[in-house]
Amino acid sequence: MYDILIVEDEAPIANLIRMSLTQAGYRCTIASDGDEGADWVERRRFDLILLDVMLPHTSGFELMEYIRQYDTPVIFLTARTEVRDRVKGLRLGAEDYIIKPFDVAELQARVEVVLRRYHKGGGKVTLEDITVDLDSRIVTKDGRPVDLTPKEFDILRLFLQNKNIALYRETIYERVWGEPFMGDTRTVDLHVQRLRHKLGWEKRIAAVYKVGYRYEENEP
Ligand code: CA
């Protein structure tokens, strides 16, 4: 059973997370501030830490600096408006971020994705005629190499790590470019279109109206 530490000072949110993750089969521990979080991290080895950015005394970012040495994956919990926080969190080495208020199903899906990714490493993914080697970044179609730019590859990896989950354009941009999204949707659209075309995944990478894109593992 995976052991998850929730560092969140708002009790109703912490309890909601614990309830939904416990239902999903995880063991959860709550720390209500950064210092308590640090104490837990010293005492027990967790499989994943959910870390609120806005905490009293020690902030989530400060705690992240400390947690790093333990090599435990971290998902930040951040407010909708704090774009800078999200980017800073990713730069500090977080695996993902969840925007509050969040949907319980999305929370469970993201936790699952990070745990699966973290405990399995890279490896190879094969889908029909396409093979993606996540470690060497080599992609082949019918055994022949597909020439992807680094950004196209990063987008592809993001899709593979978020199967059947609709990704906002801003999320794709922030995860792949590592900087705040300033509203230019064309950059993302252009890269996704090229990626689709190169892989022949016009249907597999579906456009989601007013959101962005969703990678569909079972092509419709
Ligand atoms: Ca908070």
Side-chain angles (χ1 to χ4, degrees):
M1 185 188 270
Y2 286 121
D3 229 335
I4 299 178
L5 177 65
I6 303 158
V7 188
E8 167 64 79
D9 59 314
E10 288 161 84
I13 298 177
N15 288 329
L16 174 70
I17 295 173
R18 177 168 58 187
M19 199 174 69
S20 67
L21 293 182
T22 304
Q23 274 171 2
Y26 301 108
R27 186 163 73 160
C28 297
T29 303
I30 293 176
S32 55
D33 63 37
D35 297 339
E36 208 186 315
D39 287 346
W40 273 112
V41 170
E42 283 166 11
R43 261 181 282 161
R44 199 199 290 173
R45 169 95 200 187
F46 291 92
D47 297 297
L48 175 68
I49 299 170
L50 297 178
L51 183 53
D52 183 28
V53 174
M54 295 292 284
L55 291 167
H57 317 304
T58 309
S59 79
F61 290 143
E62 287 167 326
L63 185 57
M64 177 75 194
E65 305 269 10
Y66 178 74
I67 287 172
R68 264 174 161 175
Q69 60 183 312
Y70 292 93
D71 197 29
T72 303
V74 170
I75 298 178
F76 271 112
L77 305 171
T78 180
R80 176 87 220 159
T81 49
E82 304 295 324
V83 173
R84 279 173 197 284
D85 280 1
R86 277 137 62 189
V87 173
K88 186 175 177 190
L90 295 173
R91 286 223 175 106
L92 282 173
E95 291 292 320
D96 204 351
Y97 55 81
I98 292 170
I99 297 163
K100 295 193 278 188
F102 51 82
D103 180 65
V104 165
E106 190 202 347
L107 170 77
Q108 289 176 351
R110 290 192 178 277
V111 163
E112 195 190 310
V113 164
V114 169
L115 285 171
R116 201 191 312 139
R117 182 198 311 160
Y118 201 82
H119 294 278
K120 214 170 66 178
K124 266 187 191 170
V125 179
T126 301
L127 279 141
E128 292 168 1
D129 54 341
I130 302 284
T131 299
V132 182
D133 188 323
L134 293 164
D135 299 315
S136 67
R137 298 174 70 98
I138 292 171
V139 180
T140 57
K141 184 174 166 68
D142 285 329
R144 263 168 299 195
V146 179
D147 192 18
L148 297 183
T149 65
K151 293 277 186 272
E152 286 164 358
F153 183 86
D154 289 343
I155 293 172
L156 172 60
R157 182 170 51 194
L158 187 64
F159 280 135
L160 293 174
Q161 287 166 344
N162 293 275
K163 288 171 188 164
N164 307 319
I165 295 173
L167 294 172
Y168 281 89
R169 285 188 177 82
E170 58 181 312
T171 305
I172 297 172
Y173 188 85
E174 288 168 10
R175 292 301 308 257
V176 171
W177 275 263
E179 44 191 72
F181 180 69
M182 304 305 274
D184 177 18
T185 59
R186 282 176 309 172
T187 306
V188 172
D189 289 340
L190 193 68
H191 280 78
V192 170
Q193 275 160 31
R194 290 211 182 118
L195 178 64
R196 273 172 163 170
H197 181 71
K198 287 179 181 179
L199 300 177
W201 279 7
E202 279 82 0
K203 281 188 190 154
R204 204 182 275 285
I205 300 174
V208 182
Y209 183 60
K210 285 191 174 170
V211 173
Y213 298 95
R214 182 181 57 238
Y215 162 73
E216 301 187 347
E217 193 170 33
N218 305 308
E219 191 180 339

